[in-house]
mmCIF file of all heavy atoms in Angstrom:
data_model
loop_
_atom_site.group_PDB
_atom_site.id
_atom_site.type_symbol
_atom_site.label_atom_id
_atom_site.label_comp_id
_atom_site.label_asym_id
_atom_site.label_seq_id
_atom_site.Cartn_x
_atom_site.Cartn_y
_atom_site.Cartn_z
ATOM 1 N N GLY Z 276 -2.132 23.970 11.414
ATOM 2 C CA GLY Z 276 -2.455 24.008 9.983
ATOM 3 C C GLY Z 276 -1.348 24.636 9.081
ATOM 4 O O GLY Z 276 -1.113 24.232 7.929
ATOM 5 N N GLU Z 277 -0.687 25.661 9.568
ATOM 6 C CA GLU Z 277 0.344 26.375 8.790
ATOM 7 C C GLU Z 277 1.451 25.464 8.401
ATOM 8 O O GLU Z 277 1.892 25.456 7.288
ATOM 9 C CB GLU Z 277 0.823 27.601 9.540
ATOM 10 C CG GLU Z 277 -0.186 28.717 9.656
ATOM 11 C CD GLU Z 277 -0.569 29.395 8.389
ATOM 12 O OE1 GLU Z 277 0.005 29.083 7.384
ATOM 13 O OE2 GLU Z 277 -1.374 30.319 8.477
ATOM 14 N N LEU Z 280 0.331 22.931 5.920
ATOM 15 C CA LEU Z 280 0.169 23.461 4.557
ATOM 16 C C LEU Z 280 1.535 23.700 3.814
ATOM 17 O O LEU Z 280 1.593 23.386 2.628
ATOM 18 C CB LEU Z 280 -0.475 24.898 4.742
ATOM 19 C CG LEU Z 280 -0.839 25.636 3.402
ATOM 20 C CD1 LEU Z 280 -1.786 24.837 2.510
ATOM 21 C CD2 LEU Z 280 -1.375 27.025 3.695
ATOM 22 N N LEU Z 293 -8.061 16.049 8.383
ATOM 23 C CA LEU Z 293 -7.987 17.294 9.022
ATOM 24 C C LEU Z 293 -8.961 17.513 10.084
ATOM 25 O O LEU Z 293 -10.143 17.185 9.898
ATOM 26 C CB LEU Z 293 -8.120 18.368 7.981
ATOM 27 C CG LEU Z 293 -7.327 18.332 6.655
ATOM 28 C CD1 LEU Z 293 -7.755 19.501 5.749
ATOM 29 C CD2 LEU Z 293 -5.889 18.281 6.883
ATOM 30 N N ASP Z 294 -8.458 18.096 11.194
ATOM 31 C CA ASP Z 294 -9.385 18.587 12.248
ATOM 32 C C ASP Z 294 -9.828 19.981 11.830
ATOM 33 O O ASP Z 294 -9.302 20.663 11.002
ATOM 34 C CB ASP Z 294 -8.615 18.669 13.578
ATOM 35 C CG ASP Z 294 -9.483 18.973 14.775
ATOM 36 O OD1 ASP Z 294 -10.758 18.872 14.635
ATOM 37 O OD2 ASP Z 294 -8.951 19.302 15.817
ATOM 38 N N VAL Z 295 -10.942 20.469 12.415
ATOM 39 C CA VAL Z 295 -11.429 21.778 12.115
ATOM 40 C C VAL Z 295 -10.785 22.834 13.046
ATOM 41 O O VAL Z 295 -10.338 23.911 12.705
ATOM 42 C CB VAL Z 295 -12.925 21.882 12.185
ATOM 43 C CG1 VAL Z 295 -13.511 23.336 12.118
ATOM 44 C CG2 VAL Z 295 -13.548 20.989 11.067
ATOM 45 N N LEU Z 297 -8.098 24.190 14.940
ATOM 46 C CA LEU Z 297 -6.658 24.152 15.014
ATOM 47 C C LEU Z 297 -6.161 25.451 15.620
ATOM 48 O O LEU Z 297 -6.840 26.477 15.625
ATOM 49 C CB LEU Z 297 -6.015 23.969 13.610
ATOM 50 C CG LEU Z 297 -6.384 22.671 12.945
ATOM 51 C CD1 LEU Z 297 -5.965 22.694 11.494
ATOM 52 C CD2 LEU Z 297 -5.854 21.441 13.615
ATOM 53 N N ASP Z 299 -3.842 27.625 14.834
ATOM 54 C CA ASP Z 299 -3.397 28.803 14.006
ATOM 55 C C ASP Z 299 -4.469 29.137 12.976
ATOM 56 O O ASP Z 299 -5.076 30.149 13.140
ATOM 57 C CB ASP Z 299 -1.994 28.495 13.349
ATOM 58 C CG ASP Z 299 -1.914 27.047 12.849
ATOM 59 O OD1 ASP Z 299 -2.944 26.370 12.699
ATOM 60 O OD2 ASP Z 299 -0.763 26.668 12.511
ATOM 61 N N ILE Z 300 -4.637 28.276 11.954
ATOM 62 C CA ILE Z 300 -5.737 28.522 10.973
ATOM 63 C C ILE Z 300 -6.768 27.445 11.206
ATOM 64 O O ILE Z 300 -6.369 26.321 11.510
ATOM 65 C CB ILE Z 300 -5.166 28.583 9.496
ATOM 66 C CG1 ILE Z 300 -4.650 27.225 9.147
ATOM 67 C CG2 ILE Z 300 -4.220 29.699 9.355
ATOM 68 C CD1 ILE Z 300 -4.272 27.118 7.678
ATOM 69 N N ASP Z 301 -8.013 27.719 11.019
ATOM 70 C CA ASP Z 301 -9.023 26.733 11.198
ATOM 71 C C ASP Z 301 -9.001 25.739 10.067
ATOM 72 O O ASP Z 301 -8.562 25.988 8.962
ATOM 73 C CB ASP Z 301 -10.458 27.343 11.379
ATOM 74 C CG ASP Z 301 -10.873 27.967 10.168
ATOM 75 O OD1 ASP Z 301 -11.486 27.297 9.291
ATOM 76 O OD2 ASP Z 301 -10.688 29.176 10.000
ATOM 77 N N GLY Z 302 -9.595 24.546 10.275
ATOM 78 C CA GLY Z 302 -9.582 23.454 9.315
ATOM 79 C C GLY Z 302 -10.323 23.838 8.069
ATOM 80 O O GLY Z 302 -9.945 23.338 6.925
ATOM 81 N N PHE Z 303 -11.370 24.657 8.172
ATOM 82 C CA PHE Z 303 -12.159 24.988 7.012
ATOM 83 C C PHE Z 303 -11.228 25.887 6.007
ATOM 84 O O PHE Z 303 -11.240 25.690 4.781
ATOM 85 C CB PHE Z 303 -13.368 25.827 7.371
ATOM 86 C CG PHE Z 303 -14.466 25.057 8.030
ATOM 87 C CD1 PHE Z 303 -15.168 25.594 9.111
ATOM 88 C CD2 PHE Z 303 -14.712 23.729 7.654
ATOM 89 C CE1 PHE Z 303 -16.072 24.795 9.786
ATOM 90 C CE2 PHE Z 303 -15.717 23.025 8.368
ATOM 91 C CZ PHE Z 303 -16.376 23.536 9.398
ATOM 92 N N SER Z 304 -10.470 26.773 6.601
ATOM 93 C CA SER Z 304 -9.520 27.613 5.792
ATOM 94 C C SER Z 304 -8.453 26.747 5.179
ATOM 95 O O SER Z 304 -8.096 26.948 4.010
ATOM 96 C CB SER Z 304 -8.920 28.706 6.632
ATOM 97 O OG SER Z 304 -9.836 29.631 7.148
ATOM 98 N N LEU Z 305 -8.069 25.770 5.917
ATOM 99 C CA LEU Z 305 -7.020 24.816 5.439
ATOM 100 C C LEU Z 305 -7.525 24.013 4.214
ATOM 101 O O LEU Z 305 -6.826 23.866 3.263
ATOM 102 C CB LEU Z 305 -6.606 23.873 6.552
ATOM 103 C CG LEU Z 305 -5.424 22.959 6.226
ATOM 104 C CD1 LEU Z 305 -4.186 23.671 5.638
ATOM 105 C CD2 LEU Z 305 -5.055 22.058 7.456
ATOM 106 N N VAL Z 306 -8.747 23.524 4.299
ATOM 107 C CA VAL Z 306 -9.433 22.784 3.257
ATOM 108 C C VAL Z 306 -9.372 23.721 2.000
ATOM 109 O O VAL Z 306 -9.083 23.247 0.871
ATOM 110 C CB VAL Z 306 -10.823 22.305 3.574
ATOM 111 C CG1 VAL Z 306 -11.567 21.829 2.366
ATOM 112 C CG2 VAL Z 306 -10.762 21.257 4.538
ATOM 113 N N GLN Z 307 -9.796 24.920 2.245
ATOM 114 C CA GLN Z 307 -9.980 25.931 1.059
ATOM 115 C C GLN Z 307 -8.591 26.167 0.375
ATOM 116 O O GLN Z 307 -8.493 26.177 -0.800
ATOM 117 C CB GLN Z 307 -10.531 27.175 1.557
ATOM 118 C CG GLN Z 307 -11.178 28.042 0.511
ATOM 119 C CD GLN Z 307 -12.006 29.157 1.135
ATOM 120 O OE1 GLN Z 307 -11.847 29.531 2.290
ATOM 121 N NE2 GLN Z 307 -12.944 29.750 0.337
ATOM 122 N N LYS Z 308 -7.580 26.258 1.241
ATOM 123 C CA LYS Z 308 -6.198 26.467 0.665
ATOM 124 C C LYS Z 308 -5.752 25.309 -0.047
ATOM 125 O O LYS Z 308 -5.147 25.364 -1.195
ATOM 126 C CB LYS Z 308 -5.271 26.953 1.790
ATOM 127 C CG LYS Z 308 -5.508 28.294 2.405
ATOM 128 C CD LYS Z 308 -4.547 28.546 3.513
ATOM 129 C CE LYS Z 308 -4.791 29.930 4.166
ATOM 130 N NZ LYS Z 308 -4.435 31.024 3.359
ATOM 131 N N LEU Z 309 -5.930 24.063 0.494
ATOM 132 C CA LEU Z 309 -5.494 22.921 -0.132
ATOM 133 C C LEU Z 309 -6.233 22.623 -1.440
ATOM 134 O O LEU Z 309 -5.656 22.263 -2.495
ATOM 135 C CB LEU Z 309 -5.666 21.686 0.833
ATOM 136 C CG LEU Z 309 -4.728 21.647 1.974
ATOM 137 C CD1 LEU Z 309 -5.149 20.504 2.931
ATOM 138 C CD2 LEU Z 309 -3.288 21.463 1.540
ATOM 139 N N ARG Z 310 -7.544 22.858 -1.399
ATOM 140 C CA ARG Z 310 -8.397 22.577 -2.509
ATOM 141 C C ARG Z 310 -8.087 23.452 -3.710
ATOM 142 O O ARG Z 310 -8.383 23.188 -4.819
ATOM 143 C CB ARG Z 310 -9.859 22.586 -2.107
ATOM 144 C CG ARG Z 310 -10.865 21.989 -3.106
ATOM 145 C CD ARG Z 310 -10.371 20.618 -3.645
ATOM 146 N NE ARG Z 310 -10.720 19.495 -2.769
ATOM 147 C CZ ARG Z 310 -10.001 18.472 -2.544
ATOM 148 N NH1 ARG Z 310 -8.813 18.378 -3.109
ATOM 149 N NH2 ARG Z 310 -10.402 17.502 -1.798
ATOM 150 N N GLY Z 311 -7.585 24.717 -3.424
ATOM 151 C CA GLY Z 311 -7.187 25.601 -4.446
ATOM 152 C C GLY Z 311 -6.063 25.141 -5.304
ATOM 153 O O GLY Z 311 -5.814 25.645 -6.415
ATOM 154 N N MET Z 319 -12.451 15.283 6.773
ATOM 155 C CA MET Z 319 -12.506 16.143 7.956
ATOM 156 C C MET Z 319 -12.898 15.216 9.143
ATOM 157 O O MET Z 319 -13.831 14.416 9.121
ATOM 158 C CB MET Z 319 -13.404 17.242 7.795
ATOM 159 C CG MET Z 319 -13.203 18.117 6.608
ATOM 160 S SD MET Z 319 -13.684 19.842 6.804
ATOM 161 C CE MET Z 319 -12.401 20.509 7.762
ATOM 162 N N THR Z 331 -20.621 23.092 5.399
ATOM 163 C CA THR Z 331 -19.513 24.035 5.150
ATOM 164 C C THR Z 331 -18.227 23.306 4.653
ATOM 165 O O THR Z 331 -17.616 23.704 3.692
ATOM 166 C CB THR Z 331 -19.205 24.872 6.363
ATOM 167 O OG1 THR Z 331 -20.306 25.636 6.765
ATOM 168 C CG2 THR Z 331 -17.955 25.834 6.182
ATOM 169 N N GLY Z 332 -17.933 22.275 5.397
ATOM 170 C CA GLY Z 332 -16.717 21.434 5.007
ATOM 171 C C GLY Z 332 -16.796 20.895 3.640
ATOM 172 O O GLY Z 332 -15.827 21.002 2.788
ATOM 173 N N LEU Z 335 -16.675 23.492 0.880
ATOM 174 C CA LEU Z 335 -15.349 24.040 0.629
ATOM 175 C C LEU Z 335 -14.438 23.067 -0.051
ATOM 176 O O LEU Z 335 -13.280 23.423 -0.523
ATOM 177 C CB LEU Z 335 -14.665 24.420 1.980
ATOM 178 C CG LEU Z 335 -15.306 25.682 2.608
ATOM 179 C CD1 LEU Z 335 -14.708 25.878 4.046
ATOM 180 C CD2 LEU Z 335 -15.080 26.871 1.754
#
Side-chain angles (χ1 to χ4, degrees):
E277 293 288 0
L280 184 60
L293 312 178
D294 189 13
V295 172
L297 298 172
D299 41 16
I300 61 173
D301 67 87
F303 291 140
S304 298
L305 182 56
V306 168
Q307 201 167 21
K308 290 176 182 292
L309 289 173
R310 195 48 85 217
M319 306 207 77
T331 296
L335 290 173

